[in-house]
Amino acid sequence: MASNKSKPGRPVIKAGTSYKSPSIPELSKDKNEIILGLLSSLLEPIGRHRAAHTVKSSAKKSNKRKRTSEQDTDPAVNPQPQEPEILKHLTVGLNSTSRHLEAEAAFSKSEQTSVPDKETKATEQATRKRMGVVFLTKPKDNLVYAHLPLLCYASSGAEKEKSQHTRLVLLDPACERTIATAMGLPRAGVVGLFDDAPGAAPLLEYIRDNVALVEVPWLEQALSGKWMGINVETYLSGQV
């Protein structure tokens, strides 16, 4: 008579490092609302400017009307209104924010590995635009944005004062619509704010007092040169 006992599955071995993943500080509901309110107030001039001065194109204009319109919009006759100053102190979107953080990280690395003369260092510091905070309105487990904690951490490597380190603020995903509306944009998943942004002092001060720094344990442990070992787990297939 055949046995009803099933054969045990083959053992599965899973190996991983002991390094912990980067941690993004989470906000309470009250802090989320306060930061959203301060940020929206700061960005509203951008939305008002775009609403008042953005001309929607029309594909039904005749060539004659088009030529007349071009004459009417001649910069010499009707100069373009000046954009809000805050626009010069922002990065909007994942790509532009990531590029700036990468440049900051490269600058921090050069500061740590080389000793430039005082004049060169003063010039670099004067022309440098330092990112104070990055706002993220996407789920933190979204792989598209998984590099932001590391970039925020690496971009602050040359800053001795922790209060000057770049903060990564994880807002509720529902906040994206409010921020996008304030800027007159369809989306606003990632927004970077520079330290010298006009009118941003209350927002930056509140964030530095209430939002913890990004932690990247694996980078700190890897740079220490200490062997952390390997985690090995063994289990049978079919078992949870």
Side-chain angles (χ1 to χ4, degrees):
M1 184 174 178
S3 174
N4 293 329
K5 293 183 179 180
S6 59
K7 294 182 179 180
R10 292 183 178 181
V12 177
I13 299 176
K14 181 180 179 182
T17 66
S18 301
Y19 300 121
K20 296 181 180 179
S21 301
S23 61
I24 305 176
E26 296 187 5
L27 299 178
S28 65
K29 185 177 180 180
D30 291 340
K31 291 180 180 179
N32 186 93
E33 291 298 323
I34 292 173
I35 292 175
L36 178 61
L38 292 171
L39 179 60
S40 299
S41 299
L42 185 67
L43 300 177
E44 280 176 356
I46 302 174
R48 290 197 297 266
H49 173 82
R50 287 188 170 132
H53 303 292
T54 300
V55 180
K56 295 183 179 180
S57 61
S58 175
K60 297 182 180 180
K61 287 185 177 180
S62 64
N63 291 334
K64 183 177 180 180
R65 292 177 61 189
K66 186 175 181 180
R67 287 195 299 270
T68 304
S69 176
E70 289 175 352
Q71 292 174 0
D72 292 340
T73 57
D74 186 354
V77 179
N78 297 320
Q80 290 293 327
Q82 188 175 4
E83 293 182 339
E85 183 66 21
I86 188 65
L87 268 176
K88 301 176 183 178
H89 304 271
L90 293 174
T91 59
V92 181
L94 179 62
N95 291 337
S96 60
T97 304
S98 297
R99 282 195 297 268
H100 188 87
L101 289 173
E102 288 170 356
E104 282 283 286
F107 176 84
S108 297
K109 183 178 179 181
S110 65
E111 284 280 290
Q112 294 173 320
T113 57
S114 62
V115 185
D117 58 83
K118 293 183 179 180
E119 184 176 350
T120 302
K121 186 174 182 179
T123 303
E124 290 178 346
Q125 290 287 359
T127 58
R128 179 187 176 198
K129 292 182 72 68
R130 211 186 68 78
M131 187 74 74
V133 57
V134 175
F135 299 95
L136 177 62
T137 60
K138 300 292 184 180
K140 66 177 182 179
D141 55 351
N142 191 323
L143 293 179
V144 175
Y145 308 93
H147 64 289
L148 287 178
L150 177 59
L151 283 181
C152 288
Y153 182 89
S155 66
S156 305
E159 301 295 337
K160 296 181 180 180
E161 295 291 335
K162 287 191 175 182
S163 61
Q164 299 302 314
H165 285 202
T166 302
R167 297 302 204 275
L168 178 59
V169 177
L170 182 65
L171 295 172
D172 189 283
C175 297
E176 181 177 4
R177 176 175 293 183
T178 303
I179 297 173
T181 301
M183 291 192 293
L185 297 174
R187 291 177 299 277
V190 180
V191 177
L193 180 65
F194 295 139
D195 264 349
D196 60 349
L203 174 60
L204 291 171
E205 183 179 355
Y206 182 84
I207 289 174
R208 286 166 179 160
D209 291 342
N210 294 276
V211 179
L213 295 171
V214 173
E215 295 182 358
V216 187
W218 70 262
L219 182 58
E220 297 175 356
Q221 294 164 352
L223 292 176
S224 68
K226 183 180 178 181
W227 170 249
M228 299 298 296
I230 299 177
N231 292 332
V232 179
E233 299 178 3
T234 304
Y235 58 93
L236 298 177
S237 59
Q239 293 183 351
V240 180

